[in-house]
Amino acid sequence: MKKTFAIFIVALTLVGTFASRTYALSENQSVAIETLLNESTRMSGAPGMSVSIIDEGETYYISSGYADREKKKPATENTLYELASVSKAFTGVGILLLEEQHRLSMTDPIQKYLPWISFNYKGVPIDMQTITLNHFLHHTSGLTNEKHFQDIPRGRSRDMLLKTVETLMDTELEFSPGQQYQYGTINYDVLGLVIEIVSGKSYESFMADEVFHPLGLEHTYLYEEDAQNTGQMAQGYRTSFFMKSPYDAPDYAGNKPAGYIISDSKDMARWMKIQMGTVEDIPDIFKKVVENSHQGNQSVPADDGLYYAAGWLVNSDKSFIEHDGVNPTFSTQVVLFPDKKRAIFLLTNSADTYNSYIVESINDILEGGSTVSYQKSVMEISDIILSSVTILFTLLAILIFVLGLMRSERPKKGILIKKRKILMPILIAITFSLFILIWIYPMFIGYNWAALVVWQPYSLVTALISLAVLSTSVTWFVWQGSK
């Protein structure tokens, strides 16, 4: 034991600090996973990560980095993180529980519970009797992130769920309901409101009383203030100019059923065991509900071999079950391999780490593979490029502005002045067009400006602005030479 402990201390010193673990993994596997997490936090700049692993009935917790970097508070298995879209699986269990209790049917039309809601497709009103709860559960309703994400309102009042769903009144659908699968986070907010109407409780009260407590999830929260009061809530961070900075994102309480449940590694380990059917001390009804929640919707084509179930993506034989989630300052990834009795849950307090790669790498290590190096995500690479572009364009704009000041003091030749006067309208038109394109750019990626500055790296915004400033500077430079 002393030798094992000594090896662990030496390994921990070599691979970094703030890694916590249990001892049941082989020493090589444990050190390899710790190395991966420490390298991931170092290379990504993510302040902290916490992982819970289920393998052959054993549970392991490994954390790296900080829950709060500024306060030097280490991340542990007790650190609380926003679950982001992994929250959907809980809402899925909630509404399927109501079905199992015969309080609703997933084939019921949405209008039975929300008689005031109406949708259009290609400008024509949809027969709301044809849109069932299953359409929202499986993201086949026609509500998508591309069209219906940006209007989710900010706020934390008790009626925010209703206000969020009310934004869908007379909305235009992306496709006719049932035609295809296309992910839309607000679908689960609709289901959350149905839970309120059927249960006669708030979404939060229903989930706490009838889901979390019966399942023994004692460290899973629906109100941020409750999580903060424990002293375990992680600080969220967002990417800006090559680094992760603390950021207190706006409240989207109406989007809670889809993305704002809060929990820690310990509860998520229990949650994974519940999904794999290895927890016995829960009400029998949940065993059927969980099984139903893994039934992928095969009425539409698979997405990369996966079908959407109730907050889960599953393959055809349910040997692979997964979901990820991204909020402005948190991100998550969970993968279940029921046949192997293995599951991995990754929680981070940063939005753009390459979580799927980390989880895949942990699984490879558990399969006997060696330690792998962290790879930056597309979002991280984009920030590097966009931040560099911002700096380059800004420096060029300043340089051209200075050159313009110097040019204004020099005598001008008549022929050059005429050419520049001809060029000026073209440059003004280009600059004006750039400002218009930049202003409307967010709509092309499913955002408005209010949502863009919250959900995307600052470097995207600054790169767009610096481009407009550079164009303005060039136009001004030419104008100085035409006077």
Side-chain angles (χ1 to χ4, degrees), residues 93 97 210-211 214-215 282-291:
V93 162
L97 175 64
E210 302 196 37
V211 178
L215 293 179
I282 60 173
D284 287 341
I285 192 172
F286 281 102
K287 297 174 183 178
K288 180 65 178 299
V289 168
V290 168
E291 181 183 347

Side-chain angles (χ1 to χ4, degrees), residues 70-278:
E70 285 63 40
K71 295 180 180 178
K72 304 298 181 185
K73 181 179 178 180
T76 72
E77 61 267 29
N78 299 311
T79 299
L80 295 168
Y81 301 81
E82 290 177 4
L83 298 184
S85 287
V86 174
S87 303
K88 290 179 174 67
F90 293 90
T91 300
V93 162
I95 200 155
L96 291 178
L97 175 64
L98 291 173
E99 181 177 49
E100 195 64 23
Q101 294 170 338
H102 307 292
R103 299 163 75 179
L104 59 73
S105 169
M106 295 306 296
T107 59
D108 288 339
I110 187 62
Q111 215 165 40
K112 180 176 179 179
Y113 306 101
L114 306 178
W116 43 266
I117 201 167
S118 59
F119 300 152
N120 302 306
Y121 178 58
K122 294 185 176 179
V124 178
I126 292 285
D127 179 0
M128 298 303 293
Q129 289 294 319
T130 65
I131 304 180
T132 70
L133 299 183
N134 269 326
H135 286 118
F136 300 94
L137 189 75
H138 297 134
H139 298 281
T140 57
S141 67
L143 300 173
T144 68
N145 278 354
E146 286 72 17
K147 267 187 176 287
H148 307 97
F149 171 79
Q150 65 179 10
D151 294 325
I152 295 175
R154 303 180 187 185
R156 60 189 309 173
S157 61
R158 299 286 179 170
D159 63 346
M160 284 309 300
L161 181 54
L162 175 61
K163 288 181 178 178
T164 297
V165 178
E166 283 179 339
T167 64
L168 299 174
M169 279 293 298
D170 297 321
T171 195
E172 180 73 16
L173 299 180
E174 181 77 8
F175 54 86
S176 182
Q179 279 192 345
Q180 65 185 74
Y181 159 80
Q182 191 169 341
Y183 192 86
T185 193
I186 203 168
N187 282 287
Y188 274 66
D189 298 328
V190 174
L191 295 178
L193 186 58
V194 171
I195 287 173
E196 287 196 340
I197 291 167
V198 173
S199 70
K201 299 180 177 181
S202 69
Y203 170 80
E204 292 84 355
S205 295
F206 174 84
M207 295 299 292
D209 297 344
E210 302 196 37
V211 178
F212 297 164
H213 181 66
L215 293 179
L217 303 176
E218 302 300 332
H219 305 103
T220 301
Y221 300 92
L222 291 142
Y223 293 105
E224 184 181 353
E225 51 267 35
D226 292 339
Q228 292 286 1
N229 288 339
T230 67
Q232 297 291 344
M233 185 68 200
Q235 169 64 52
Y237 293 77
R238 68 176 298 175
T239 299
S240 57
F241 289 95
F242 313 106
M243 65 179 64
K244 305 292 192 297
S245 303
Y247 177 63
D248 294 324
D251 291 305
Y252 293 95
N255 192 222
K256 196 175 295 180
Y260 284 90
I261 294 173
I262 297 168
S263 194
D264 65 9
S265 290
K266 285 186 174 179
D267 265 14
M268 291 305 94
R270 181 173 175 83
W271 176 242
M272 291 190 294
K273 289 179 182 179
I274 291 170
Q275 299 304 310
M276 294 191 294
T278 60

Side-chain angles (χ1 to χ4, degrees), residues 3 18 142 152 160 213 273 368 435 466 475:
K3 182 179 179 182
F18 303 119
I152 295 175
M160 284 309 300
H213 181 66
K273 289 179 182 179
F435 273 101
S466 65
T475 303

